[in-house]
């Protein structure tokens, strides 16, 4: 493939700008358009017919998993790479079941991101090493275990992984200790902690503990 035309779908402008800056040195990849929500992404794809969609999971209007599911029905030739900060089992499994060709964590390196783009664009599959165990556990002999859509949402929209992080944060563990405990990177642990504080709208660990107890989140 001489040139890979991609569309970026993420509700954060800074994230989209960051991705574009990462791709500046690779002349074989061209960002032809951007979308700030799921609905807009599908509309843009219908008009531009890209080779590849890079999509976040949590977006307004329509989440990334639903976008991929609809994309594969309307434009199955367009590849889809999910780029997310979440490494929870629910998101990974549902993304694959929706038809995603790859799943990459936002904490990945530039080199891995470029490798994932080229692999998926050329018809292959690419999944971050951090989520490979989830795939092995959930896709035995190519047959996925059933995961219901309701598993994506729960109290304060916390995922299973975020509840694990919450449990360890309330124990007073540092990001490094949490990373070692859950066998994830320190950067991934930091992202989860930040996202957790943002979702619960708290500024420090004391407020976090109070809210967790008030709403019985554990």
């Amino acid at each position: 493939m001489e040139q890979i035309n991609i569309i970026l779908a993420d509700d954060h402008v800074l994230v989209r700008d960051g991705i574009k800056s990462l791709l500046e040195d690779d002349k074989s990849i061209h960002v032809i358009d951007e979308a700030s929500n799921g609905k807009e992404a599908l509309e843009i794809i219908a008009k531009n017919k890209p080779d590849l969609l890079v999509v976040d999971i949590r977006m307004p209007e329509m989440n990334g998993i639903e976008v991929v599911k609809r994309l594969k029905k309307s434009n199955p030739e367009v590849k889809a790479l999910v780029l997310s900060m979440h490494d929870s089992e629910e998101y990974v499994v549902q993304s694959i079941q929706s038809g995603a060709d790859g799943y990459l964590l936002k904490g990945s390196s530039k080199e891995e991101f470029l490798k994932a783009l080229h692999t998926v664009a050329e018809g292959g599959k690419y999944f971050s090493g951090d989520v490979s165990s989830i795939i092995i556990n959930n896709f035995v002999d190519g047959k996925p275990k059933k995961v219901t859509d309701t598993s994506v949402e729960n109290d304060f929209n916390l995922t299973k992984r975020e509840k694990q992080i919450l449990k360890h944060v309330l124990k007073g563990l540092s990001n490094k200790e949490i990373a070692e405990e859950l066998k994830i990177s320190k950067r991934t642990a930091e992202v989860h902690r930040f996202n957790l504080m943002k979702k619960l709208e708290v500024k420090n660990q004391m407020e976090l503990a109070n809210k967790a107890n008030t709403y019985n989140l554990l």
Side-chain angles (χ1 to χ4, degrees):
M1 184 179 293
E2 294 184 359
Q3 180 170 281
I4 303 171
N5 292 320
I6 72 174
I7 286 176
L8 304 178
D10 193 296
D11 58 330
H12 295 97
V13 177
L14 286 177
V15 172
R16 300 200 304 271
D17 287 346
I19 292 175
K20 287 188 293 184
S21 67
L22 286 178
L23 301 177
E24 286 180 350
D25 296 332
D26 194 324
K27 302 305 179 183
S28 66
I29 300 176
H30 179 50
V31 178
I32 60 175
D33 213 334
E34 304 171 41
S36 59
N37 63 64
K39 183 179 178 181
E40 183 182 12
L42 290 177
E43 292 173 349
I44 290 174
I45 290 170
K47 294 178 182 178
N48 295 282
K49 302 295 183 184
D51 300 306
L52 172 63
L53 168 69
V54 177
V55 60
D56 187 19
I57 288 181
R58 287 193 172 278
M59 294 187 296
E61 301 289 340
M62 186 187 302
N63 67 51
I65 294 174
E66 183 62 27
V67 170
V68 173
K69 187 182 298 183
R70 297 194 184 193
L71 169 67
K72 290 303 178 177
K73 289 182 179 179
S74 60
N75 297 279
E77 72 283 358
V78 178
K79 307 299 180 182
L81 173 65
V82 174
L83 182 62
S84 175
M85 68 173 62
H86 304 286
D87 64 348
S88 67
E89 183 171 330
E90 293 95 336
Y91 285 136
V92 175
V93 174
Q94 289 183 34
S95 293
I96 296 173
Q97 290 180 333
S98 71
D101 300 288
Y103 193 107
L104 194 67
L105 298 178
K106 287 185 176 179
S108 301
S109 66
K110 173 183 177 180
E111 291 71 24
E112 185 175 18
F113 181 44
L114 291 174
K115 182 179 179 181
L117 288 176
H118 282 281
T119 299
V120 170
E122 292 168 8
K125 304 290 183 182
Y126 195 95
F127 300 95
S128 290
D130 289 350
V131 303
S132 60
S133 61
I134 294 176
I135 297 172
I136 293 172
N137 292 334
N138 286 275
F139 292 82
V140 181
D141 298 325
K143 297 178 181 179
K145 296 178 181 177
K146 181 177 178 59
V147 178
T148 61
D149 289 340
T150 56
S151 62
V152 173
E153 304 292 340
N154 46 43
D155 294 336
F156 290 95
N157 293 326
L158 297 187
T159 64
K160 180 180 178 181
R161 174 65 86 188
E162 287 166 348
K163 285 193 172 185
Q164 290 178 324
I165 297 290
L166 174 60
K167 180 179 179 181
H168 291 306
V169 169
L170 295 182
K171 287 181 180 178
L173 271 62
S174 65
N175 289 328
K176 181 179 179 181
E177 291 171 330
I178 292 174
E180 293 173 350
E181 186 73 22
L182 298 179
K183 293 180 173 56
I184 57 178
S185 69
K186 181 182 177 183
R187 171 59 179 162
T188 299
E190 290 172 349
V191 170
H192 279 309
R193 185 192 285 257
F194 173 80
N195 200 47
L196 185 62
M197 303 282 279
K198 184 178 179 181
K199 283 185 178 181
L200 296 182
E201 298 180 339
V202 296
K203 298 178 181 179
N204 53 54
Q205 190 163 326
M206 182 176 292
E207 289 183 7
L208 181 66
N210 289 336
K211 203 150 194 177
N213 290 328
T214 299
Y215 290 92
N216 194 27
L217 296 180
L218 292 179

